[in-house]
């Protein structure tokens, strides 16, 4: 990521994006405000700066993608973030979703398995460190979570999960919520919100279909 100018053009495009997201059914004002606040063009390569505010996914390094703004807004809305919530994010990727969570007032712990992407997370603090001091980046396998920092109020998975990762479920507080795109087939995931009941079982709510890059086991070295 890279801090560049954030001028009237970008701000105007961001307003249009927010309007589009509203039309598509995003209603949570705090989520819409966060999208309006965070310059998405900081998170994309220069070549994409002008189209950063189209509602679509784009390639980033390591053959990964920055999620579509609608997807980011949808998952963020489902999480019902309250100020001070401790949130575990699996799949840091471009850090855009991370920034949106921080803008919503969450304390964010985020894990990325691709070394090349993790190495770029140093940039986040240079740009947003003063604004968002409570964001912590980890290089590791998201299937393992971060037991030493749990339990978490919320867990968000931003890659296509083959199943509900057991260790992550254990790191969720009672009454906590996990938002997870669960594989229905190879290329389609169903967005689920799982709320942990007192007995440790899940209350399950199903939403729309999405398409994510896969959640993979282990770390990648390059
Ligand atoms: N939240 C990101 C979405 C990036 S795409 C954004 O807004 O840009 C999903 C990311 O999940 C990819 O960067 C991929 O490398 C990562 N990923 C996949 N499996 C993972 C795992 N087991 N642990 C951590 N990260 C994982």
């Amino acid at each position: 990521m890279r801090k560049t100018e954030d001028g009237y053009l970008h701000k105007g495009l961001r307003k249009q994006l927010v309007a589009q997201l509203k039309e598509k059914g995003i209603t949570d004002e705090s989520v819409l405000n966060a999208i309006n606040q965070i310059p998405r063009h900081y998170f994309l390569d220069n070549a994409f700066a002008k189209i950063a505010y189209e509602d679509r996914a784009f390639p980033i390094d390591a053959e990964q993608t920055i999620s579509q703004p609608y997807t980011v807004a949808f998952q963020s809305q489902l999480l019902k973030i309250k100020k001070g919530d401790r949130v575990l994010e699996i799949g840091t990727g471009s850090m855009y979703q991370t920034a949106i969570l921080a803008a919503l007032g969450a304390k964010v712990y985020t894990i990325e398995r691709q070394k090349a992407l993790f190495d770029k997370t140093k940039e986040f603090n240079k740009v947003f460190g003063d604004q968002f001091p409570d964001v912590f980046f980890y290089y590791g396998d998201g299937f393992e979570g971060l037991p030493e920092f749990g339990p978490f109020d919320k867990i968000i998975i931003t890659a296509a999960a083959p199943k509900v990762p057991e260790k992550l479920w254990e790191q969720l507080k009672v009454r906590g919520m996990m938002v997870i795109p669960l594989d229905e087939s190879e290329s389609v995931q169903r967005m689920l919100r799982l709320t942990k009941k007192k007995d440790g079982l899940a209350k399950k709510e199903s939403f729309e279909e999405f398409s994510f890059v896969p959640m993979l086991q282990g770390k990648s070295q390059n």
Side-chain angles (χ1 to χ4, degrees):
M1 80 171 297
R2 195 175 51 94
K3 185 174 179 154
T4 99
E5 63 141 351
D6 185 34
Y8 287 112
L9 173 67
H10 298 113
K11 288 181 175 132
L13 290 171
R14 230 155 37 237
K15 284 227 156 65
Q16 286 177 23
L17 173 61
V18 166
Q20 277 183 46
L21 295 176
K22 266 189 185 169
E23 265 171 41
K24 292 180 182 175
I26 303 297
T27 52
D28 186 325
E29 286 295 331
S30 60
V31 170
L32 294 167
N33 283 339
I35 303 265
N36 200 33
Q37 182 192 336
I38 301 295
R40 190 169 185 252
H41 63 284
Y42 288 6
F43 298 83
L44 293 171
D45 279 355
N46 244 340
F48 298 123
K50 288 206 181 78
I51 44 179
Y53 295 102
E54 288 179 18
D55 188 20
R56 37 178 289 210
F58 287 107
I60 53 174
D61 285 0
E63 288 163 33
Q64 300 304 320
T65 56
I66 177 172
S67 298
Q68 186 180 340
Y70 176 72
T71 307
V72 171
F74 195 92
Q75 288 195 285
S76 302
Q77 176 165 285
L78 286 182
L79 280 172
K80 297 187 179 171
I81 302 289
K82 290 196 297 287
K83 215 171 167 8
D85 271 356
R86 292 159 53 80
V87 180
L88 175 64
E89 178 191 29
I90 309 302
T92 312
S94 69
M95 304 180 271
Y96 178 64
Q97 172 77 74
T98 311
I100 295 293
L101 293 169
L104 287 165
K107 187 167 180 170
V108 190
Y109 298 78
T110 180
I111 310 178
E112 174 57 54
R113 69 179 290 281
Q114 295 277 358
K115 183 77 166 56
L117 293 175
F118 171 74
D119 285 344
K120 290 191 162 184
T121 63
K122 290 187 214 70
E123 300 298 317
F124 188 91
N125 287 336
K126 290 189 201 151
V127 177
F128 290 112
D130 293 342
Q131 204 180 349
F132 303 132
D134 286 332
V135 176
F136 310 100
F137 296 97
Y138 300 89
Y139 169 50
D141 179 0
F143 279 99
E144 301 295 322
L146 291 170
E148 61 277 42
F149 297 107
F152 297 94
D153 297 293
K154 312 276 163 71
I155 298 180
I156 172 173
I157 300 180
T158 71
K163 59 183 169 50
V164 176
E166 222 169 278
K167 289 181 182 167
L168 296 187
W169 188 251
E170 285 167 13
Q171 290 167 39
L172 187 63
K173 286 185 189 170
V174 169
R175 282 186 288 278
M177 295 191 299
M178 176 187 286
V179 171
I180 174 171
L182 197 67
D183 280 339
E184 279 199 330
S185 67
E186 226 172 77
S187 57
V188 174
Q189 292 80 44
R190 175 73 56 189
M191 193 65 75
L192 301 180
R193 177 167 61 194
L194 306 173
T195 306
K196 195 171 194 170
K197 298 189 291 188
K198 258 204 234 136
D199 60 8
L201 296 176
K203 175 186 135 193
K204 174 176 150 183
E205 296 165 280
S206 288
F207 300 90
E208 295 162 31
E209 287 177 343
F210 289 85
S211 183
F212 282 83
V213 296
M215 182 173 179
L216 301 172
Q217 301 274 355
K219 291 193 281 196
S220 155
Q221 301 303 324
N222 40 48

